[in-house]
Amino acid sequence: MELSTRGRYAVMAMVDLAEQTCTGNLVTLAQIAERQEISQSYLEQLFGRLRKAGLVTATRGPGGGYRLARQAKEIAVSDIMRAVDEKLRATRCSAETRAGCLLDNKRCATHDLWEGLTQHIAHFFGSVTLADVIDRQIAGPLRVGAAA
């Protein structure tokens, strides 16, 4: 399973915005684009969705820009992912029809495994806020092969 650039870039941009607007200043997409090395036109598309979802507010004109619509501690990563329509699925089954991934519409033997992974990812993204990312208050990396 891989996140699209849409989801990753939206989170990167929102973290950048949260870091920059803690002083109350507005931030332009050009500033975010330069710092995060993301196309400004791509950010415009993302921020249109983020604004529509009520996660950011915009001020037009000279001195205008964006700011968070709520405090960073009130915006979960999952909010951002939903706003930009990022689909988090590890199964290859159709989520819309509930049909299985096999030709006879049955679910494969590993369906529950992948569905469980999807649920863990959704729970994780729902439990991490922008403030957590900024403060580096995220669970550390798993130690593969380490003694328990």
Side-chain angles (χ1 to χ4, degrees):
M1 183 174 134
E2 186 173 320
L3 291 173
S4 72
T5 55
R6 182 176 52 226
R8 286 187 291 122
Y9 286 1
V11 173
M12 289 169 60
M14 287 291 285
V15 169
D16 184 288
L17 182 65
E19 288 176 326
Q20 300 302 317
T21 59
C22 63
T23 61
N25 294 331
L26 295 173
V27 179
T28 67
L29 294 183
Q31 293 167 324
I32 296 172
E34 183 178 337
R35 282 191 295 270
Q36 299 302 319
E37 300 177 3
I38 301 172
S39 158
Q40 184 174 338
S41 62
Y42 195 58
L43 285 176
E44 289 169 359
Q45 295 172 31
L46 295 176
F47 272 72
R49 292 177 180 206
L50 295 167
R51 189 178 50 74
K52 187 175 180 181
L55 299 179
V56 298
T57 59
T59 302
R60 293 181 180 246
Y66 288 87
R67 69 169 42 114
L68 296 179
R70 303 188 309 251
Q71 293 183 9
K73 67 182 179 182
E74 297 171 349
I75 300 174
V77 171
S78 61
D79 297 332
I80 300 165
M81 298 298 229
R82 271 191 304 278
V84 298
D85 202 30
E86 178 68 76
K87 303 286 190 245
L88 296 174
R89 280 193 19 230
T91 66
R92 64 180 187 174
C93 298
S94 171
E96 292 79 28
T97 64
R98 299 231 183 257
C101 58
L102 302 177
L103 290 177
D104 58 3
N105 286 330
K106 290 184 180 175
R107 292 183 172 178
C108 64
T110 58
H111 176 85
D112 291 340
L113 170 70
W114 304 126
E115 184 62 29
L117 174 61
T118 299
Q119 291 173 10
H120 279 286
I121 293 169
H123 180 266
F124 176 71
F125 284 159
S127 69
V128 177
T129 67
L130 288 177
D132 295 331
V133 176
I134 293 166
D135 296 338
R136 308 244 192 280
Q137 297 297 313
I138 305 169
L142 296 175
R143 294 195 176 109
V144 178

